[in-house]
Every structure is written in C-alpha cells, then in structure tokens.
Amino acid sequence: MLKVVFHEGYLARYPTGAVETPARIRSIMGNIKGRYEVITPEPAATEDLLRAHTPDHLVQVQLEGKAVREAAALAAGGALCAARLAASAGHPVFAAVRPPGHHAGRNRFGGFCFFNNMAVAVLALLDNGAFSRAAVIDFDMHRGDGTAEIFAGDSRVALLDVSSAEKNHFIEKIEDFLEALPTVDIIGVSAGFDMHLKDWGGLLTNRDYHRIGRAVADAARKKAAGRVFAVLEGGYMPHDLGKAVLAFCVGLEGKDLLEPTHMARS
Ligand SMILES: [Zn+2]
C-alpha cells in the first residue's frame, strides 16, 4: 500500500514565486484523502542538509527569512521521511511537499527551490552505509540542474533527467532508462507535473502519468526490491495537479487506472 508524506507546513505561505501556492498541495491532498495512509514528517536536521549543501547555502536560506527556512527544512524532511519509509518498509511512498527542490544546487537556490529535497533524501540513505546505489528519475518539464550538480561525479547515483527528451519520446525515454538500469538499492523520483496537458508543458495526460508510475513500479520490483519513493517538484495548475498526482500514485502502486473517465482523460 502506498503511503503519503504530508505536513500542515506544506500549506504555509512564504515568499516565493506567485504560482508556487499552497493550493497545489490542497489539490493533491483533496484527491488522495482517504485512499492512502498519511505520514507526518519532521524537518530535516542541519546534518542532513549539509550532505547536499554547503554551510554557506544554509546561511543564505536562513537570510530568506524564518518562513522560507522552516518550509524548506520541512520539505527536505518530507523527502527524507519518504526515502526512509520506502527503504525500510518496501512499499511506495509519495511526498507531497513544497517548496520543490530540484533547482537547488550545493550552494545556490532558485526556481522556487531552496534545499534539494531529493538529494538530501538519497544522500542520507547512501551515507548511512546500508545502501550503495540509487537511481533518480526527474520527469519535471524543467531540467533538475541542482540535482545534476549535486550528483555530478557520484558513481553511486544513476540520474535520468527527462526534460531534454523530445516531446513525443518523453515516456519512452523513462522506459528505456528503466530497462537499462542495473540493480540498485532504491529508486527516487523527482515528480514534477508541469508537463501536464493543462500545465505549462502541455503534453502529458493523467493516463500518461499513470503509465510512468506503473513503469517505475515495475522497475522498482525487478531492480530495487520494490523500494521506490517520489517527491513532488513542479506542477502549477492546482485544478489539474491533484488528479495527475493520483493517477501517478495508482501507477506507482502497480494498479490499473479504474477511475471514472474524468480522471482517466486529462
Ligand atoms: Zn518544473
């Protein structure tokens, strides 16, 4: 059974881009309420953040103000919680966090991202010694430049950033990567939904997000002992975001999309 990581703090208002709103998370929770067990995370500790970021970066985020610093630490903590749950229990986990993280590099932030949630989560598992290899798939429409920078030269992490794929090969690129993937200890997914038909990218339907979830679930079962977690990145049209996330989560559970047509179509 899939679990969802959520904290009331993800509904907080803090200074950021106008489109990165609490309504995004309300849409997701509204769609998955009652379906999945919800787990409440703790904020990431300083030592967790320092695996992905420089001490100076932590100071820079601090200077953005208390609201930003608290929200960012809580989002990183949510990703960490999801990764640890997936690692120990072996069932899929979706972390419905904001702010997103994949544009945050070791020593810089931007693009609505402050701490790199995915990097904080994966590095915690790798550095504790139990896990030695991870795969990270980023299907946001924007390049996860922060994640790429943090994992550059780290042979423990196989990273796929789909944003460079031609539009009609978007899903195929994910499937090809999963097909070629060697055995890993865990798969992390930077799940951005801004490639949605009704979002900025204007490409993927809810059925497509279900297909991606399903492909990742299959690969996780075959190559990662079923260990997989996903962390929300982009997706800026609250009306459609929740449905897309639900379709992805149903796929991640390895289940068919047996929903009314309003959800199956986008
Ligand atoms: Zn994006």
Side-chain angles (χ1 to χ4, degrees):
M1 188 63 165
L2 183 135
K3 293 190 182 190
V4 171
V5 172
F6 165 76
H7 193 288
E8 291 288 329
Y10 302 150
L11 301 172
R13 295 199 171 274
Y14 46 81
T16 187
V19 295
E20 206 283 273
T21 61
R24 303 174 60 233
I25 303 298
R26 274 200 297 275
S27 167
I28 294 171
M29 297 311 288
N31 273 274
I32 63 177
K33 194 181 279 175
R35 279 176 187 262
Y36 301 121
E37 185 184 347
V38 176
I39 309 290
T40 309
E42 301 282 323
T46 299
E47 60 169 306
D48 295 319
L49 298 171
L50 285 174
R51 291 195 190 94
H53 299 288
T54 63
D56 181 60
H57 182 78
L58 270 57
V59 172
Q60 293 306 316
V61 173
Q62 191 94 43
L63 292 173
E64 292 294 299
K66 187 166 175 280
V68 163
R69 158 72 211 206
E70 284 182 1
L74 207 47
L80 196 52
C81 173
R84 286 184 173 144
L85 268 175
S88 60
H91 49 64
V93 186
F94 185 88
V97 307
R98 61 180 278 274
H102 72 155
H103 295 303
R106 277 210 179 274
N107 196 37
R108 64 192 166 82
F109 57 82
F112 321 143
C113 302
F114 299 95
F115 295 135
N116 194 304
N117 305 324
M118 177 56 70
V120 168
V122 168
L123 289 172
L125 294 183
L126 293 176
D127 287 2
N128 110 349
F131 285 2
S132 58
R133 273 192 65 76
V136 173
I137 297 161
D138 187 331
F139 65 74
D140 190 276
M141 80 171 278
H142 302 99
R143 183 167 179 272
D145 49 350
T147 311
E149 182 213 298
I150 292 169
F151 289 132
D154 190 335
S155 59
R156 301 172 300 176
V157 180
L159 175 64
L160 172 69
D161 192 315
V162 200
S163 63
S164 62
E166 275 181 57
K167 279 199 165 192
N168 48 349
H169 295 303
F170 198 88
I171 299 177
E172 285 85 344
K173 194 160 175 187
I174 298 174
E175 291 172 340
D176 289 350
F177 174 83
L178 292 169
E179 181 75 25
L181 188 70
T183 302
V184 292
D185 295 306
I186 195 161
I187 298 175
V189 183
S190 266
F193 294 84
D194 39 11
M195 198 51 118
H196 194 278
L197 203 57
K198 294 181 180 171
D199 209 304
W200 298 339
L203 179 69
L204 302 178
T205 63
N206 292 336
R207 192 165 285 285
D208 291 329
Y209 284 112
H210 175 261
R211 180 175 155 191
I212 293 171
R214 192 94 197 230
V216 172
D218 286 349
R221 206 179 54 247
K222 290 178 196 152
K223 302 182 175 184
R227 292 186 285 251
V228 58
F229 69 101
V231 181
L232 182 67
E233 299 287 357
Y236 300 101
M237 302 298 157
H239 182 74
D240 301 290
L241 178 58
K243 285 175 248 176
V245 170
L246 176 58
F248 172 71
C249 286
V250 171
L252 205 54
E253 287 184 282
K255 290 184 180 167
D256 290 333
L257 201 53
L258 294 171
E259 291 296 321
T261 47
H262 76 263
M263 196 189 114
R265 297 184 191 140
S266 63

